[in-house]
Amino acid sequence: MTDPQHPEEGDVRPGCLYVVATPIGNLGDFPPRAQRVLAGVTRIAAEDTRNTGVLLSHFGIHTPLLALHEHNEERQAVAVVDALQRGDSIALVSDAGTPLISDPGFDLVRAARAAGCEVIAVPGACAAIAALSISGLPSDSFVFAGFLPARAGARRERIERLARESRSVIVYEASHRIAECAADLAQLLPERRVLLAREISKRFEQSVLTLARELPDWIAADPNRTRGEFVLVIEGAPQATDAATFDAQSLLRVLLGELPAARAAKVAAALTGRPKRELYDLALRLAPGRDESNG
Ligand code: SAM
């Protein structure tokens, strides 16, 4: 077995920047190579030296740390690249998961590349990818949209823009905004499926795949469901059937202006390829009371 204090030969080379993923909750998800690299580099650039210090001491790693966060990154990037060019090997870590993914590190990686330094990934946990992998939503092509805006108006605007995206959309959300965000999704994209994953890899981890319109009730059913860290994966807009893209909901709204619910659902099913029954239920929700008898 490899001693984490002593890198295997070839793990760490002088002049290289290592971008190292750390666990997003479960300390068992800290790959041996990541531990060896962190033990073997000259210094570790960390988003929060205290947090990383706790993680490293748990694994018996004593490499010196330097702070690299959003407020000093531009300046620190210059110093780190200098050190790399003098032959130091440096690792970059964030508080959790993969650096640069809604975390600091972009300025440093860009500067290291511009200076011709080698940049090496030491892959591991990433909440976005973990959530996508368990979502049951299309994963062949997706969009990562980071955090939604904190302010209600801007968040709704962003959701409306993302609603046009045909690929699965992954977003991060904070616990104190998850209920508001779910309410917006329920209102703006009621028929889309949404995967909510919280506390991935931790003791109280939980995930649910539901229609957006059902998400607020699911969250409200248990106060624990607003606790912890969250990822949402939102189903993409329906695929184009032909040259034109038919969004079942918009289409039904137009058809319901002219036809009773059952006939509107039949036409919408023919145009979108979605099940007639599902569209009939949707038609009744969009225009309650507009069934055959009074249409
Ligand atoms: N770099 C990290 C990554 O690779 O996933 C993400 C950092 S971002 C500042 C933190 C956000 O990621 C949290 O607010 C939450 O949305 C998501 N997140 C991180 N850990 C998580 C977990 N264990 N379960 C669910 N979401 C998590």
Side-chain angles (χ1 to χ4, degrees):
M1 213 168 108
T2 313
D3 177 352
Q5 288 299 291
H6 298 286
E8 278 184 353
E9 209 182 325
D11 268 344
V12 175
R13 284 179 279 129
C16 291
L17 174 66
Y18 294 87
V19 179
V20 181
T22 54
I24 57 169
N26 192 321
L27 293 183
D29 299 333
F30 199 13
R33 178 166 165 248
Q35 295 177 43
R36 291 197 303 271
V37 167
L38 292 176
V41 291
T42 323
R43 293 234 259 168
I44 299 170
E47 179 182 10
D48 181 327
T49 52
R50 244 185 6 191
N51 270 354
T52 299
V54 172
L55 176 75
L56 294 185
S57 67
H58 181 88
F59 287 93
I61 297 169
H62 306 292
T63 309
L65 294 166
L66 65 94
L68 185 141
H69 43 70
E70 57 176 332
H71 304 296
N72 73 357
E73 181 170 358
E74 237 178 290
R75 185 164 33 88
Q76 281 290 53
V78 176
V80 170
V81 169
D82 267 3
L84 291 168
Q85 288 179 319
R86 286 196 307 269
D88 281 1
S89 50
I90 305 221
L92 168 69
V93 297
S94 60
D95 278 353
T98 302
L100 282 84
I101 305 303
S102 290
D103 267 343
F106 174 64
D107 286 343
L108 173 58
V109 170
R110 181 175 53 177
R113 290 229 167 250
C117 303
E118 201 173 342
V119 184
I120 294 171
V122 183
C126 174
I129 298 300
L132 179 68
S133 72
I134 59 165
S135 68
L137 293 171
S139 54
D140 52 344
S141 179
F142 59 89
V143 173
F144 173 64
F147 283 96
L148 293 174
R151 297 218 337 266
R155 182 175 60 242
R156 291 170 64 84
E157 242 171 64
R158 179 76 55 82
I159 293 172
E160 275 167 354
R161 188 140 48 84
L162 290 170
R164 295 196 281 276
E165 175 56 59
S166 61
R167 295 166 288 183
S168 302
V169 176
I170 308 172
V171 297
Y172 286 159
E173 192 49 279
S175 56
H176 57 282
R177 280 194 291 269
I178 191 68
E180 285 172 47
C181 176
D184 288 344
L185 290 173
Q187 198 189 2
L188 298 170
L189 308 168
E191 303 308 316
R192 297 280 183 89
R193 289 178 297 162
V194 177
L195 178 281
L196 176 151
R198 61 179 276 268
E199 297 290 87
I200 298 169
S201 80
K202 301 188 208 178
R203 181 153 174 226
F204 298 110
E205 82 179 297
Q206 190 175 28
S207 67
V208 64
L209 176 63
T210 180
L211 289 175
R213 66 181 154 81
E214 285 164 1
L215 196 54
D217 284 348
W218 184 86
I219 290 174
D222 177 350
N224 288 323
R225 293 179 180 172
T226 53
R227 300 209 171 108
E229 300 196 276
F230 293 83
V231 185
L232 297 170
V233 185
I234 305 162
E235 181 179 27
Q239 290 291 320
T241 51
D242 195 27
T245 304
F246 292 110
D247 176 309
Q249 191 168 318
S250 322
L251 180 62
L252 264 178
R253 281 211 167 95
V254 175
L255 292 172
L256 284 167
E258 308 293 329
L259 299 170
R263 297 201 42 217
K266 192 173 169 189
V267 176
L271 289 171
T272 62
R274 294 181 77 146
K276 196 164 68 186
R277 181 74 230 177
E278 174 194 314
L279 294 172
Y280 180 63
D281 290 345
L282 175 58
L284 292 183
R285 278 196 302 277
L286 290 173
R290 195 164 164 73
D291 57 13
E292 293 296 357
S293 55
N294 59 9

